[in-house]
Amino acid sequence: MTIKRSHITGCGAYLPERCVTNSELAAALDTTDEWIQSRTGIRQRHIAADGELTSDLATNAARKALDAAGLTADDIDLVVVATATPDLTFPATATQVQANLGVTRGCAFDVQAVCTGFVYALTIADNFVQLGQSRGALVIGAETFSRILDWNDRGTCVLFGDGAGAVVLQPGEGAGTVEDRGILSTHLHADGRYKDMLYVDGGPSTTQLAGFLRMEGKEVFKHAVVNLAQAVDEALEANGVDGAAVDWLVPHQANRRIIDATARKLGVTSDKVVVTIDRHANTSAASIPLALSEAVGDGRITRGQLVLLEAMGGGFTWGSAMVRW
Ligand code: ACO
């Protein structure tokens, strides 16, 4: 029997031109490069230019993913943008991206699961493809977190950056074993009891202003380590493999110490973990597709390898995706 799976057939990434080092932040804020690097692993971040919108970042990444897949806008019938920093309250940023690309059929919508947004969006698009409702899907994570940071709050503003990453999903047939190509499993979770640990203190229905990110860093850290350990275990179990079978861990890039703890739990060595946090900081929903694009682009991730994606974010939300590349 053959079954239908989504194949990731192209990846693309885009980072704004302006790069801000820790030392530049330390010139205006009571912090140091040493504190930021030792607590988080971050050395620098990219910041969008005035007037450069989430949809602009998303469109640039999507164009590269389409090129990599050898497709054009005419082949796309689904655009999903994972973002917590949309251009406008409505319409969805995905419709702006659709218009920028010249996609005129199918559907387009945003997904809001903060740092887990890309895993949520990938899961939804994967279901569309498996059900035959999409033959070419663009899944994009794009953020301009610089616009929702309190630049006077050293506990949060040093942690985040702007950027976008995109993948193209297309249907493929196979025997459906763990060795066959495609997205093998996805698992999503949310627990709204923890919504006050990481949130933005504004929005259309409350203050009518966009607001600023607020976070209880230590609590988020503790929950992230526990939830991500659960997410990777779940993915391994669902696919009947152990950590040794995983060729690449591509984690959400929130904090180097969280990434290292998850890798240890999984039993993978650091040379099998794709790390971009040092150069990108935490780009929320964009971090996984940015990291994927880098590792596919430089030849680390190759056909046939087992790739595990995981993320955790505000809500709390968390989840994983296992992919046979
Ligand atoms: N520079 C210098 N000192 C700072 C800074 C800074 N940028 N930020 C905080 N401090 C100070 C604090 O004021 C505090 O000082 P005090 O002891 O005099 O009160 C001291 O450093 C320790 O602060 P803590 O918050 O306890 O520092 P901690 O070691 O927990 O590190 C951090 C903070 C990096 C935020 C950590 O808790 C963390 O990474 N948490 C996870 C948060 C995260 O990843 N969020 C991303 C979104 S969710 C996600 O993507 C999973």
Side-chain angles (χ1 to χ4, degrees):
M1 193 183 85
T2 61
I3 69 153
K4 195 180 284 176
R5 271 194 188 146
S6 314
H7 293 183
I8 297 179
T9 56
C11 296
Y14 176 79
L15 290 161
E17 205 176 307
R18 184 168 164 235
C19 179
V20 177
T21 62
N22 292 344
S23 302
E24 284 174 80
L25 291 184
L29 202 64
D30 182 15
T31 189
T32 61
D33 176 44
E34 196 282 323
W35 191 97
I36 301 170
Q37 283 211 47
S38 63
R39 294 297 213 286
T40 70
I42 297 166
R43 287 192 286 116
Q44 61 178 47
R45 72 284 295 140
H46 289 256
I47 302 290
D50 287 346
E52 192 175 31
L53 306 183
T54 295
S55 61
D56 297 321
L57 275 50
T59 302
N60 284 325
R63 285 205 173 103
K64 290 182 187 161
L66 281 174
D67 282 350
L71 299 183
T72 69
D74 291 341
D75 300 308
I76 296 301
D77 56 20
L78 173 64
V79 180
V80 190
V81 175
T83 188
T85 46
D87 290 7
L88 299 168
T89 300
F90 79 77
T93 300
T95 59
Q96 181 64 56
V97 173
Q98 201 195 25
N100 293 350
L101 293 173
V103 176
T104 53
R105 66 196 181 90
C107 62
F109 54 88
D110 291 356
V111 167
Q112 219 283 41
V114 209
C115 299
T116 321
F118 182 76
V119 178
Y120 268 64
L122 191 73
T123 300
I124 294 164
D126 175 41
N127 288 335
F128 266 70
V129 170
Q130 286 190 59
L131 289 170
Q133 290 181 313
S134 170
R135 293 201 54 77
L138 261 172
V139 184
I140 306 165
E143 303 280 17
T144 48
F145 258 50
S146 61
R147 308 264 157 76
I148 54 162
L149 295 175
D150 176 351
W151 287 99
N152 295 312
D153 177 9
R154 67 179 183 171
T156 54
C157 74
V158 302
L159 303 175
F160 297 91
D162 300 335
V167 301
V168 173
L169 295 190
Q170 292 181 268
E173 308 259 312
T177 73
V178 73
E179 301 303 331
D180 289 311
R181 198 176 164 208
I183 296 179
L184 307 183
S185 68
T186 55
H187 291 93
L188 301 181
H189 297 275
D191 189 340
R193 288 175 298 174
Y194 300 103
K195 64 182 172 35
D196 296 336
M197 289 187 177
L198 177 54
Y199 65 102
V200 169
D201 63 2
S205 184
T206 48
T207 62
Q208 292 83 58
L209 300 168
F212 293 117
L213 183 146
R214 306 294 176 201
M215 178 175 75
E216 291 185 36
K218 264 198 190 335
E219 287 303 314
V220 174
F221 191 99
K222 279 192 266 175
H223 284 273
V225 171
V226 172
N227 291 344
L228 291 172
Q230 180 215 333
V232 297
D233 275 350
E234 192 175 34
L236 294 178
E237 201 182 316
N239 291 289
V241 295
D242 60 20
V246 175
D247 294 298
W248 290 103
L249 174 66
V250 185
H252 166 52
Q253 313 277 323
N255 182 308
R256 182 70 206 234
R257 291 182 295 147
I258 297 175
I259 294 172
D260 290 345
T262 309
R264 267 197 306 277
K265 167 73 188 157
L266 189 61
V268 305
T269 48
S270 59
D271 57 326
K272 290 176 156 193
V273 185
V274 180
V275 176
T276 58
I277 181 135
D278 52 331
R279 288 155 293 129
H280 301 171
N282 182 346
T283 56
S284 184
S287 87
I288 290 179
L290 273 166
L292 258 185
S293 295
E294 183 172 291
V296 171
D298 65 20
R300 271 178 289 171
I301 295 180
T302 56
R303 182 66 67 86
Q305 290 188 325
L306 195 59
V307 180
L308 178 56
L309 319 178
E310 48 83 344
M312 142 108 185
F316 289 138
T317 55
W318 67 101
S320 71
M322 186 79 93
V323 185
R324 178 66 68 185
W325 206 260

